[in-house]
Amino acid sequence: MSVLDQASGLRRQALHDYPPSFAFFGADHCGQSTVAGELAAALALQRQRPLLIEHRNGQQLARRLGLPAAGTLGSVAVSLGDLNELMVSNRHGLTLVNLAASVDERTRLSPRIWRRLINEFASVEQDAALLLLDTPSLSEDPGPCCIADNLVLVLTPSSDSLMGGYAQLKRLAQDYARRRFNVLVNRAANFDEAQAIFSRLQRVAGDYLPVGLRWVGFVPDDNTIRKSQTLRRPVVEAFPDSEAAHAYLQLAQMLPQWHAPDDDTPRGSYLEHLLMTSKALADLTGH
């Protein structure tokens, strides 16, 4: 066997070593950042080694979890820094990597910086059990939702959330060929209300979109979440006996079982995939 054949075989094997990714998205004010952060905190408490990826500007996840602000992927071009500048961790084993950057900022990074970041990220990624992505608006940057293994639509009982969520399902299905979606209802009064919201979405989507929707659960409307955000601590840590904390801990236990990607083709590192997708999106939009 030649050296090239060996390298190719090792690469094929390595493609299977990366953990599954779960992208959280939804209409404005659905609480997707809170959901992603709380689930990551719950997974860390359960010693599941989550890697939380921030794609939104504003350091929202760091503030919610009581972590220090990190650099962003968009700032690396200026600082010429490494992945350590973008990464912070807590004492329970939760690691947050801030990849906030526009498509233009990603494509402007030099090949040398990309090679270094991809290699550094791949090492961190392979040590994680799963990736949770807090995604940007689809209108700003569809890349993370395009490439995530699994998509989790976060809804609330408001009509705006339902209409906005449906619009995003439609775009991901029609423009990016996504077919499978997990649906989580946030801030529901009770199980019956959450199920009713999911059923409404399922009826409309079933009539007009070629998608499969899977109910994965709900988080109750609980004032302790707002209290924990004021304290800059996750609710699963600050108020472990609250209804919301119990919901997040139960959802975190089930989250690995949500893994059912549209495409079973093995992929490389998430950051490598993001770079390739960014370039493709830039070519499509002419930027």
Side-chain angles (χ1 to χ4, degrees):
M1 180 182 290
S2 70
V3 172
L4 287 177
D5 288 337
Q6 291 183 53
S8 177
L10 288 171
R11 176 167 174 76
R12 285 196 300 272
Q13 180 63 39
L15 289 174
H16 294 276
D17 292 338
Y18 294 103
S21 57
F22 298 81
F24 293 80
F25 73 102
D28 290 344
H29 312 299
C30 69
Q32 70 175 61
S33 297
T34 298
V35 170
E38 289 289 350
L39 284 173
L43 286 163
L45 288 173
Q46 296 167 1
R47 303 185 183 278
Q48 292 298 307
R49 307 188 322 280
L51 184 59
L52 181 59
I53 312 262
E54 173 68 279
H55 277 293
R56 297 159 69 90
N57 290 316
Q59 304 283 349
Q60 295 183 54
L61 286 175
R63 288 201 307 272
R64 282 180 167 87
L65 298 172
L67 295 170
T72 68
L73 180 61
S75 70
V76 167
V78 177
S79 68
L80 301 179
D82 56 20
L83 190 69
N84 285 328
E85 289 189 8
L86 316 182
M87 194 164 62
V88 291
S89 301
N90 73 4
R91 66 182 186 278
H92 299 298
L94 166 60
T95 298
L96 169 63
V97 181
N98 195 321
L99 298 185
S102 67
V103 175
D104 286 343
E105 287 173 329
R106 289 201 297 264
T107 54
R108 284 201 301 265
L109 286 176
S110 73
R112 179 174 61 83
I113 292 176
W114 268 115
R115 282 195 298 272
R116 185 177 72 245
L117 290 175
I118 286 171
N119 288 335
E120 292 170 347
F121 187 89
S123 296
V124 173
E125 185 179 11
Q126 287 178 314
D127 286 337
L130 68 174
L131 278 59
L132 288 79
L133 320 176
D134 185 17
T135 65
S137 164
L138 283 179
S139 60
E140 296 175 3
D141 180 9
C145 278
C146 286
I147 66 174
D149 297 318
N150 306 278
L151 295 172
V152 184
L153 172 61
V154 180
L155 295 176
T156 71
S158 77
S159 57
D160 286 346
S161 177
L162 190 63
M163 290 188 297
Y166 174 80
Q168 294 190 50
L169 286 182
K170 182 177 179 181
R171 184 174 180 193
L172 286 166
Q174 294 183 345
D175 293 351
Y176 303 109
R178 299 306 305 255
R179 294 291 179 260
R180 299 179 183 178
F181 297 87
N182 300 294
V183 180
L184 186 153
V185 179
N186 189 30
R187 305 185 197 128
N190 50 47
F191 176 84
D192 290 339
E193 181 180 53
Q195 277 276 297
I197 294 296
F198 174 73
S199 296
R200 286 174 61 190
L201 179 68
Q202 193 172 41
R203 284 196 300 271
V204 177
D207 289 340
Y208 299 104
L209 299 177
V211 299
L213 304 181
R214 177 172 59 176
W215 157 269
V216 293
F218 81 104
V219 178
D221 191 15
D222 187 342
N223 193 47
T224 59
I225 294 176
R226 287 175 282 278
K227 290 180 180 178
S228 69
Q229 290 172 353
T230 301
L231 297 171
R232 294 190 60 179
R233 294 174 63 193
V235 73
V236 293
E237 180 186 327
F239 301 102
D241 294 326
S242 65
E243 289 186 30
H246 284 298
Y248 279 121
L249 289 165
Q250 290 171 6
L251 289 167
Q253 286 182 323
M254 298 300 296
L255 194 152
Q257 299 178 35
W258 303 352
H259 181 47
D262 285 329
D263 185 356
D264 291 329
T265 303
R267 63 167 175 83
S269 170
Y270 174 78
L271 194 55
E272 183 179 18
H273 201 177
L274 183 65
L275 170 61
M276 293 187 294
T277 303
S278 298
K279 290 180 176 178
L281 289 171
D283 290 341
L284 285 172
T285 58
H287 294 115

